[in-house]
Amino acid sequence: MLFKQQALLRQKLFLLGSLAIGSLLYLVARVGSLDRLQPICPIESRLGPPHLPEQFPLRTLQYKRGLLHEIRKGNATKEQIRLHNLVQQLPRAIIIGVRKGGTRALLEMLNLHPAVVKASQEIHFFDNEQNYARGIDWYREKMPFSFLHQITIEKSPAYFITEEVPERIFKMNSSIKLLIIVREPTTRAVSDYTQVLEGKERKNKTYHKFEKLAIDGNTCDVNTKYKAVRTSIYTKHLERWLKFFPVEHFHIVDGDRLITDPLPELQLVERFLNLPSRISRYNLYFNATRGFYCLRFNNVFNKCLAGSKGRIHPEVDPSVVAKLRKFFHPFNQKFYQITGRTFNWP
Ligand code: A3P
């Protein structure tokens, strides 16, 4: 009898113990989950405005890149576009110039980033009256299809020097990011001349020598009416832009360094665009035949820029080069001062 009572008591004690442990475990779990369900302040208000994710699903993006390529070639169906929520977005960043600064190389290299989609053609929306009159929807329709988290970038180097453009871009998006790629001003002017010269030669036309265009024959001073010279006075153009956009909206890219060592320049742009660093040494390789860095997207797809990029410049009279360098010097100093980026230009 006593033995039976003891067994019953042990059973009761065991049941009570189990209940107590169970309740304790439930309480711990509940408190934990309560903590997670009711944060001190809602997460949204603690985060800044939505920005691009730190981690991109790379595999998905590679697949998506394939699809984007098909769309560009006109092979994707409307159904595929709808299914993948593809949209034509206005650019969130524009390479506004400078002509012959390396604008094409910069755009193509940025396009290596999985979150960037480039508008392949120069759209010339803001600098061309006819195009501008077509309206913003026309502009949007010129943009490539992209996923919502991607940013579209276009480049039209004429924007930098065209009077009306800053105000027009401001009206479209006052918080847009603006990229300006510059080269040593005299080299850029010669590059500009070389491009025009090639065009004339193609049409069997004769053209003046650079020296004749860059120097005023009457005064022997630098000819500031010559467009290739005017374009290289970077500070004059930038000052017009600064009437509409604060200096933080601009990022200056060193076009000379983009030629010799592109990666650090691209990493600075990634930071400026708030993109996680994704372009790597793997994506850029030096092609000795071409004399430039070329682009590697993956094991099978790589490309160099067209032959029209990287022309051989004509020899220029050293006294003219010296005169031009002296002429640009004070403008360069002002440009460094405004932008906070100094170059070793003479
Ligand atoms: P040159 O033809 O004077 O050498 P833009 O695209 O603005 O017209 O600039 C053209 C310049 O981009 C070329 O000027 C070239 O030097 C420069 N560039 C920079 N990186 C390049 C690259 N990886 N391949 C070819 N050209 C490049």
Side-chain angles (χ1 to χ4, degrees), residues 98-105 109 155 157 183 191 195 255 258-259 290 292-294 305 308-311 313:
V98 179
R99 177 181 151 94
K100 306 320 293 172
T103 52
R104 172 58 59 186
M109 288 173 180
K155 77 117 179 161
R183 274 164 93 188
S191 172
Q195 172 158 314
L258 196 84
I259 296 173
R290 201 53 191 86
F292 284 99
Y293 275 87
C294 295
L305 263 60
S308 59
K309 305 292 173 189
R311 297 184 177 99
H313 296 181

Side-chain angles (χ1 to χ4, degrees), residues 8 45 67-68 92 94 150 152 214 218 231 285 288 291 305-306 332:
L8 262 171
S45 63
L67 182 66
L68 289 178
R92 273 193 260 170
I94 304 183
Q150 292 180 307
T152 304
N218 296 321
T231 303
Y285 67 96
L305 263 60
N332 295 343

Side-chain angles (χ1 to χ4, degrees), residues 281-297:
R281 292 244 167 253
Y282 171 82
N283 298 125
L284 301 154
Y285 67 96
F286 187 76
N287 182 315
T289 323
R290 201 53 191 86
F292 284 99
Y293 275 87
C294 295
L295 289 70
R296 183 185 289 124
F297 287 84

Side-chain angles (χ1 to χ4, degrees), residues 51-289:
H51 55 81
L52 294 157
E54 187 61 32
Q55 294 298 322
F56 291 98
L58 260 190
R59 268 221 210 105
T60 328
L61 277 173
Q62 270 156 13
Y63 156 71
K64 285 171 177 178
R65 262 192 185 286
L67 182 66
L68 289 178
H69 185 63
E70 290 303 308
I71 289 166
R72 230 168 278 141
K73 286 196 304 183
N75 290 345
T77 60
K78 279 197 176 137
E79 182 58 14
Q80 274 175 310
I81 294 171
R82 196 190 54 78
L83 213 70
H84 292 275
N85 290 327
L86 291 163
V87 277
Q88 285 169 297
Q89 304 186 73
L90 287 173
R92 273 193 260 170
I94 304 183
I95 301 171
I96 56 172
V98 179
R99 177 181 151 94
K100 306 320 293 172
T103 52
R104 172 58 59 186
L106 179 61
L107 183 71
E108 297 294 332
M109 288 173 180
L110 288 177
N111 192 50
L112 288 163
H113 197 291
V116 170
V117 178
K118 62 160 186 178
S120 293
Q121 308 294 320
E122 290 183 9
I123 316 275
H124 289 281
F125 176 62
F126 298 103
D127 63 307
N128 179 303
E129 292 308 316
Q130 244 185 346
N131 288 345
Y132 193 63
R134 289 180 165 127
I136 202 79
D137 288 335
W138 177 88
Y139 185 49
R140 197 195 312 270
E141 277 162 26
K142 293 277 165 208
M143 294 300 150
F145 281 94
S146 60
F147 299 96
L148 266 174
H149 71 273
Q150 292 180 307
I151 65 168
T152 304
I153 301 187
E154 82 126 325
K155 77 117 179 161
S156 292
Y159 290 166
F160 186 56
I161 58 160
T162 310
E163 192 90 22
E164 299 80 9
V165 173
E167 185 173 3
R168 289 176 177 178
I169 294 188
F170 181 83
K171 278 183 185 160
M172 177 189 70
N173 178 0
S174 61
S175 56
I176 198 154
K177 301 203 174 205
L178 303 162
L179 293 158
I180 307 174
I181 178 161
V182 290
R183 274 164 93 188
E184 189 277 307
T186 304
T187 312
R188 196 220 64 82
V190 176
S191 172
D192 200 331
Y193 167 81
T194 312
Q195 172 158 314
V196 179
L197 176 70
E198 198 186 277
K200 300 271 180 195
E201 282 173 348
R202 223 181 302 124
K203 294 178 193 155
N204 277 329
K205 287 187 177 167
T206 52
Y207 196 45
H208 299 293
K209 286 191 78 179
F210 177 78
E211 290 83 342
K212 192 164 173 7
L213 294 167
I215 305 293
D216 184 325
N218 296 321
T219 61
C220 286
D221 287 334
V222 168
N223 178 13
T224 50
K225 290 200 185 91
Y226 178 39
K227 197 172 166 195
V229 167
R230 278 211 320 273
T231 303
S232 282
I233 310 176
Y234 305 140
T235 182
K236 286 277 173 224
H237 303 288
L238 183 61
E239 280 165 38
R240 270 188 304 101
W241 282 85
L242 288 170
K243 288 183 190 146
F244 293 91
F245 294 97
V247 75
E248 302 79 51
H249 283 223
F250 299 87
H251 176 76
I252 310 297
V253 179
D254 183 343
D256 294 308
R257 192 156 77 135
L258 196 84
I259 296 173
T260 55
D261 188 14
L263 188 61
E265 282 304 315
L266 296 170
Q267 287 171 334
L268 290 175
V269 179
E270 286 179 325
R271 279 221 322 248
F272 173 68
L273 297 177
N274 283 330
L275 295 174
S277 178
R278 273 299 164 83
I279 304 171
S280 69
R281 292 244 167 253
Y282 171 82
N283 298 125
L284 301 154
Y285 67 96
F286 187 76
N287 182 315
T289 323

